[in-house]
Amino acid sequence: LTGAGRVALGTDIPAVFINNEEIASQLYTLSSKNHDLVWRLPLFKGYAKSLNSNIADVRNIAEGSGYGGAIVAALYLAKYVTEGTDWIH
């Protein structure tokens, strides 16, 4: 996830995934105030299908092109977060 985020944004702006809009807003405010930028990438559920498996509950690596790797990795992590839990990665 970190490597794919760096490919997308470079080494000076960390990619973050957040499932809560209020927390995202707070993070952006603090990030800007402290001159420590972050950039939110989407948890685009359309990419989750690349984690489907005929053998296991879920693949731990995406099937297919490898594009959207940071998003797919975040969707993989999201599968292990209890429903209703706010998280940032």
Side-chain angles (χ1 to χ4, degrees):
L1 189 150
T2 303
R6 284 185 168 207
V7 169
L9 302 174
T11 58
D12 293 331
I13 305 172
V16 295
F17 294 91
I18 306 171
N19 71 339
N20 178 298
E21 297 302 320
E22 184 178 335
I23 292 172
S25 178
Q26 291 173 9
L27 179 63
Y28 275 132
T29 298
L30 291 170
S31 170
S32 179
K33 180 179 177 181
N34 291 291
H35 307 286
D36 190 12
L37 298 178
V38 297
W39 193 261
R40 186 179 184 188
L41 294 179
L43 289 164
F44 178 63
K45 302 224 186 291
Y47 292 165
K49 65 183 176 282
S50 67
L51 295 171
N52 292 344
S53 172
N54 294 327
I55 299 169
D57 294 338
V58 64
R59 290 177 184 272
N60 65 352
I61 189 167
E63 180 179 46
S65 69
Y67 292 122
I71 296 169
V72 172
L75 291 169
Y76 174 80
L77 293 177
K79 289 183 174 290
Y80 297 95
V81 176
T82 304
E83 185 74 28
T85 302
D86 299 327
W87 62 276
I88 301 173
H89 182 79

